[in-house]
Amino acid sequence: MRQYTAWIAVTLLVLLSFLVSQFCPDLLRYDREALLSGEVWRLLTAHFSHLSFAHMGLNLAALALTAYVARPGRSVGYHFCLWLWLCLFTGAGLLAGAPDLYFYVGLSGALHGALIIYIADSPFYSRLVRRLVVVIVIGKIFWEQSPWFDDMSNAGFIGGRTETRSHLLGVVAGLIWVGVEYIRSIYEREKRSLDR
């Protein structure tokens, strides 16, 4: 049960935020003006809020997929730091790099980064499959940033425009995490070989 604690916690945060947003729709979302006036919690809470039940359902399905590929046995602290990093990087990136974005909700930005991190470390798939998934996710990001992508194509289903910049920022955050983990593993391997 302990290995699922972090996944259950993220799911409960999403469900609780959705419930809160039904009564106070503006309280948790990314709100540029509110953030600039000091309501910094929105850098985190915006990711757990959603536009609609369908939007939340899609993100919870993606969360389940991410949990499915993840390496078991990671500590709750590891997952906590990972999700905190992804949400803060994505939120701060939107604040710094998207001055035209006034409101935002959704876990999909952080989920893109989480999928990169968890698949890169997954013991269930070959190196080829893991690299292929990372390439596919990065390819999706390039497509979303291109002029051919219609960010309103899902609007009728999820209740609003797809904020593709959050996906890009989530993937960048994920790649940074994977890069740091890779460098740390090389350092530890070298240190062990010197200690022999």
Side-chain angles (χ1 to χ4, degrees):
M1 179 67 180
R2 186 176 170 195
Q3 71 182 20
Y4 299 112
T5 304
W7 302 104
I8 292 168
V10 173
T11 302
L12 289 175
L13 280 171
V14 168
L15 293 171
L16 181 62
S17 297
F18 187 74
L19 185 63
V20 168
S21 70
Q22 300 308 297
F23 299 100
C24 307
D26 302 338
L27 181 64
L28 303 176
R29 71 182 181 183
Y30 173 101
D31 180 326
R32 185 173 186 80
E33 294 302 319
L35 276 161
L36 293 174
S37 41
E39 296 180 9
V40 293
W41 71 80
R42 294 173 183 273
L43 291 175
L44 289 174
T45 59
H47 302 284
F48 300 100
S49 302
H50 288 85
L51 293 169
S52 65
F53 187 79
H55 185 211
M56 180 183 69
L58 282 174
N59 279 335
L60 287 178
L63 181 68
L65 171 67
T66 306
Y68 180 76
V69 304
R71 174 184 292 276
R74 291 285 193 187
S75 70
V76 173
Y78 174 88
H79 294 291
F80 174 79
C81 290
L82 185 150
W83 285 100
L84 183 66
W85 162 252
L86 291 170
C87 290
L88 285 178
F89 187 95
T90 304
L94 290 172
L95 188 63
D100 60 314
L101 181 66
Y102 290 97
F103 305 111
Y104 169 78
V105 292
L107 193 60
S108 60
L111 275 168
H112 277 73
L115 183 57
I116 292 279
I117 294 167
Y118 287 117
I119 195 67
D121 184 46
S122 180
F124 306 120
Y125 305 96
S126 68
R127 182 178 294 175
L128 176 64
V129 168
R130 290 179 294 159
R131 287 181 177 170
L132 184 60
V133 171
V134 171
V135 167
I136 289 169
V137 172
I138 292 171
K140 175 184 181 286
I141 296 305
F142 275 107
W143 175 59
E144 288 179 346
Q145 304 309 308
S146 78
W148 301 287
F149 181 76
D150 179 9
D151 61 0
M152 292 299 289
S153 61
N154 293 327
F157 183 66
I158 66 170
R161 183 177 67 81
T162 301
E163 181 48 65
T164 59
R165 291 172 292 188
S166 73
H167 299 174
L168 172 63
L169 288 162
V171 166
V172 170
L175 290 171
I176 290 170
W177 181 282
V178 169
V180 169
E181 289 257 308
Y182 180 71
I183 291 166
R184 188 179 60 80
S185 71
I186 291 173
Y187 171 77
E188 287 178 358
R189 198 165 47 240
E190 292 292 325
K191 187 178 174 192
R192 278 195 302 271
S193 68
L194 290 173
D195 289 344
R196 288 181 185 164

